[in-house]
Structure formats: C-alpha cells, structure tokens
Amino acid sequence: MPARPAPAAAQALRPPRHDRPVCLVTGASSGIGAATARRFAEGGWHLLLSGRDRDRLAETAVGASADVLPADLAVPGGPRLLARSALAATGRVDVLVAGAGIGWAGPFAAMPHDAIDGVLGVDLAATLHLVREVLPAMVEAGRGRVVLVGSIAGCVGVREEAVYSAAKAGVAAFADALRQEVRGTGVGVTLVVPGPVDTEFFARRGTPYRRSRPRPTSPDSVARTVWEAVRRERDEVYVPGWMSLPGRVRGLAPGLYRRLLHRFG
C-alpha cells in the first residue's frame, strides 16, 4: 500500500533545510508579490515563490536563494498542494505573505456570476485555505507571521468594485479574528492595507485606474512596508500611512463618512 502524504504540520517538524529564515510569497510573479520577495531576498531570507507564471517566477528568483513553486490557488486543493510543497522544500515557513489577488470593475448588476466566484475564490477563499494549511506548522514551531494583503477597498467600499471590496473586507475581518486565536502561540498576523498600487492589476481586470486621487503608489513602497511590519511585528499597516484616515472617519463620524463616500467613492 503506498504511503500517505504526511500532514503539513508533521512535515514542518522535519529538520529545517535552510539556516536562513523562510518566506513564502504568493502572487510572486509580478507586482506587490514580486517586490516583496525581492525585499526579503535583500534581507537574506530564503524565498518560496508561488504564482501561475513559472517564467516570471524564475525572473523574480534571479540572484536570490529561492525555490519556485508554481501553483493555481483557485483550483480545488491548490492551497493544500502549495503548502505541502513549501514545507517539503524547506521544512518550515517563517513568514507567509498572501499576496495573490485578482479584481473586476464595473456595475455589480452586470458582473458575470463566474467573475463573482473568481474574485471571492482567489482573494478570499484561497487565502483562508492557504493560511489554514500553513498555520498549524507555525503554531507547532512556536513562531511565524501571517501577512495578509488587504486593500483600502475593504475598509471603505469602492463604487463599481463591490465584490472586490467585499473580499478584502473579509480578509480584514479574518485578520482580526485570527490574531485573537493565535495570541500566545508565538505566531503573529499582519494586515497590510494599500491604496491603489502601480501594477498590472488594473490592466488584468480589464479596467484602468482613472481616478486623479489617490495617486497609485509603487509596489516597492508596499514591499518596504511589509518588510518593516514583519520586522517590527506590526498588526496593521497602511500604504501610504494617511490611508488609515477614511476608516477613522467612518468610526468617528459615520454620517460625514457616507457623504464623502457618495461624493468621492
């Protein structure tokens, strides 16, 4: 009878294969994921790079200590296969940066049902499934950090990005809930909340970014923020920092918030 694959947590108990700390980055073929991977490589970390484009992952890996792990997180079992491949490659994951994501823009009433499922599947469900697979190994080791890439759209709700906003709001709520569950285990949870970022995200969703404000920031700026958040064990960070203001206005003055949202949202 063929041997069954070892559970992810059991695989993590094997002796580490690297003296360097290990960072698993999803969406590492471009944009925020690729920039974050390069920043951790500069810091001397070993990288586990995941995405759907093997060639672009290989480009991200150039000059770094890295394993390339192509994966489609949208397919059933994709997050589990990635987690097992990651732990098999290195014996541990010290930081998970869940950066894979897709978007769709347009009136919600015109959004195809498969697009709804796609955005929720990649941006929310796949993220939760991947964390579920990696987290037990971190808890068993007594160390680690889960970095979830949210969006300002998850804080304020963006017109004609209703499902993307809902998915990112779910990621934010998940971060808050998970952080409470892992208190005292040695594992931390960081939510990174960027505004618009100058990446291929908008081209891939089929609708360019047309707003004059806020201006898109660079993926390198987000990557530096992720790096500092992990180094300083921060729970929540915004890029740029003033992006925290809309959420504060919403909590302190909901009427004013709604008026501003109707005008600028």
Side-chain angles (χ1 to χ4, degrees), residues 94-96 138 144-147 187-190 229-230 233-235:
D94 298 299
V95 169
L96 165 64
M138 290 184 174
R145 181 158 292 269
V146 174
V147 179
V187 178
V189 179
T190 296
V230 170
E233 300 182 345
R234 299 280 300 279
D235 288 342

Side-chain angles (χ1 to χ4, degrees), residues 12-117:
L13 297 179
R14 297 174 183 173
R17 294 170 176 78
H18 288 276
D19 294 332
R20 303 176 184 225
V22 177
C23 181
L24 169 58
V25 184
T26 67
S29 56
S30 63
I32 293 173
T36 299
R38 289 191 291 267
R39 182 62 189 87
F40 274 79
E42 291 172 3
W45 287 53
H46 180 78
L47 306 176
L48 300 172
L49 303 175
S50 185
R52 291 184 295 179
D53 191 325
R54 181 184 292 271
D55 292 338
R56 297 191 70 172
L57 289 174
E59 292 176 6
T60 303
V62 171
S65 171
D67 288 297
V68 171
L69 304 175
D72 187 348
L73 298 179
V75 303
R80 176 175 295 179
L81 290 174
L82 173 57
R84 290 183 174 180
S85 297
L87 291 168
T90 58
R92 73 173 193 264
V93 173
D94 298 299
V95 169
L96 165 64
V97 179
I102 62 174
W104 193 93
F108 176 68
M111 188 173 184
H113 288 281
D114 60 347
I116 295 174
D117 293 340

Side-chain angles (χ1 to χ4, degrees), residues 131 135 145-148 171-193 233-238:
V131 174
L135 183 64
R145 181 158 292 269
V146 174
V147 179
L148 302 171
V171 170
F174 173 63
D176 283 340
L178 184 64
R179 192 177 298 118
Q180 300 309 309
E181 290 191 24
V182 299
R183 287 181 65 186
T185 67
V187 178
V189 179
T190 296
L191 177 67
V192 179
V193 186
E233 300 182 345
R234 299 280 300 279
D235 288 342
E236 187 171 280
V237 290
Y238 290 78

